[in-house]
Amino acid sequence: MQYANMTTKPDSELDARNFTPRKRAREREARLIATLTHSGRGFYLLVAGLLAVIAVGAYAYYRQLSEGLVVTGMRHYVFWGLYMTNFVFFIGISHAGTLISAILRVTGAGWRTPITRMAEAITVFALLIGAPMILIDMGRPDRVQNVLLYGRIQSAILWDVISITTYITGSLLYLYIPMIPDMAILRDGLPGAARWRKKLYTLLALNWHGAEAQEHALEKAVSIMAVLIIPIAVSVHTVVSWIFGMTLRPGWHSTIFGPYFVVGAIFGGIAALLLAMAFFRRALHLEEYVTVKHFRYLGILFLVMDAIYLYFTFAEYLTSGYTSMHPEAEVLGALMTGRYAVTFWGMVLVGFLLPGFMLSLPLFIKPAPQAKVGWVTMRLRPALGIGVALLLVAGGLVSAIQPAGVGALIASVQPTTVAATSAQAADSTPYLQWAVLFTVPVLFMFFLPEMRAHPIATTTIAAALVTVAMWLKRYLIIVPTLENPYIPIPPSTPADWAHYLPSGVEWAITAAAFALFILLYVLFSKVFPIVSLWETREPAHVPAPAHPAAGALAPEMGD
Amino acid sequence: MTQQTLGADRPQPTELTAERAEKNGIRPSPLSRRQFLGLAALVGGVGAFSSQALNVVKDSLVSAAAQARRVLPTFTADANSFGKLVGQDGQPLSSPDAAPTPQPAGRHRWVMVIDLARCDGCRMCTEACNTMHKVPEGQEWIRVFKMQDPRTNATYWFPKPCFQCDNSPCTKVCPVSATYKREDGVVLIDQDRCIGCRYCMAACPYSSRFFTWGEPVQTAAERAQAYDVELNTPHRRGVAEKCLFCPSLLRKGELPACAASCPMGAIYAGDELEDIVTNGRGESAKFSQLILDGSGYRYLDELGTKPRVWYLPPRGRQYAPPQPDQGHTGHG
């Protein structure tokens, strides 16, 4: 395979035809390898910051272990909260990787090579963070062995245990196998490296020396894993949704939940992958590996998933809303017009629709030539947009203050704390939040030329919006349903029982989970090359698909 | 009151309502045993109709359905649970394991009937239960709701224990068989096994399960007692709890704490097999006759859970109907 060619063929043969690209490729690879051993101040600052967040989270968990789940905001009615939200979110993120990279591999998309490793690493770390969220949520984590000792296959939780452990195993293999040639490259190509690195790379390289038999075996293993991992990934998020789907709860007991969650997971997964691409591109200066093309291609896949997800969302809520069945109608009311309206519509408009517009920009509008974009368009227009947005917020502030004074203003900023007393909820319409919400499309319109000029930044911002929205979506699946049981919660119920407000402990653990995820990911990029070395050595525009038939499906679009 | 007339079809958000008028005596309560017997008769008739090809197909489907019902019991409990286990149709299965707790003497199938016409919402049942089981703070294993049906203006009190469903959703979802259905009809929780995942709470549509979030307040003596699965004592942190029907009292011929304490005699408890139920005033009635005469129904029966608690609709209430909630009343 190409690995052998690269090392055995004299450079002169290639250089005659292709001198500059070859040299540049070698240089970019050298720069990438250098990031493994050389870290800037930013890296240490980041790690220190993440460790601090994790330390706070660890203390919070210690408190939870010693005092019990009473330190959380969860109570009789809302007995699942942030931990379950994080669980579903991280398991969703895990689809970034393996599924997307597997699909791209199976379809022989040649442009995938610089981003597959990033994607596969996300999967492994997201699973390592997501699965233990259930342990953190458990009242008796000391009895977790009971799941193995007395496990009942009839329980959807067991389905999750089986599916997720299979997925972790599979995605670890799927991350590792294509990394073997890279391990050999690092084993041989890092003369001055620390001893532990040498040992690690030698061990993980499995005596790889690029022999034809080895290449054949590798190719076969990767192909098999790529096909196997797809149904496993689909099963994982299906059974996660079935934890909810198998109950008699409004908003959960839905036949659409399996595919809905799978689509949501792929959607959120692509968002996470785009964020990782943008981060590493900047942090490790991978501009020559991760290009506009990657953001654009993945952005189109992202847009498609966005459209499918919106469709599912529409289908789900229309079906349950049209008939107004009790208590489905109450859950829907809480989302559409009630307690969670701002969150819900914010999620739909800013989290799903707006990114859709942002991602479809390159489909309709070609980037304007820089020369024609004048000062007015690039500077004055955004300034104008910010001005209008500020006016909107100011208007929101005024209308929030006017009806009921300062109390309503506070209420509009934090409706969740106030709505607990239902009598007040009616007159404290969150004007300000709506105003803030409307600034987003305004800013969007005024920043159009900016976005056209910066496709990578635009795609990244869209991905960030979607990531937040997908987290909120999981929260909105869990909490409003629990707040609207079949037997309505009596008005005399204490507010902290009837409604859920996550406690500091829960937020600290949540923040720590995110920090640990980023930390693991960043550390991984310091030990293993975050871009596949051997796969990017072959020119991306001359793909050599193992199976020509599959290769024909490759979405090789023109730039 | 005007609020209700205006409210027409839509419940006011501050009111506790149950839009289930069709339940209130309009539909006769389906008896699972009768259904089963009918089905068994159908299955038995398979041979008689076998000459007709169409009927053969139809009946074999019916018998397959009956078969399926018989092999389903793993949904309610499994080999690792103790006590005798029952299938989805309520029929007992042979006990797979040696049982750590003594089997109830004789055959029983505990059942409860709550006469809503008698309950005046005094909450003595809740207090008696809390006292007897030393229920952890914040939990009410039997909870009295104020119900209102906007279409009929009916306001009434609704005491809700655990319904001990025959097709219990909670036992289906337990990942470790910590909660299970026993032959005498009750759904128990082995709190030495429960991992505290709260999936059973999610599965229960009646919000009848509770969770001990913090360390329960107990004396050292209480804490030192041997664990009793029929009482859920001593309480422990991080596990599910709920009403258990006081099977140890019923077995001795005594009423559960809630039924015994009810001054109105609204709560009847007894044995479905003996066909007799008794209330706190010492009044006994034939169970089948009581629910037949009183148009007994089971709450949210359409969810398919087959509760073991029957309600008699609040017809001819023996107390002043409670005022509709304005959002700040006492306990609901």
Side-chain angles (χ1 to χ4, degrees), chain A residues 66 79 143 155 243 249 497, chain B residues 138 173 191 198-199 201 237:
Chain A
S66 50
F79 48 79
R143 295 180 184 167
S155 169
I243 284 192
R249 293 267 173 178
W497 271 48
Chain B
V173 300
Q191 290 165 322
R198 309 190 286 292
Y199 198 13
M201 295 174 74
R237 182 223 285 175

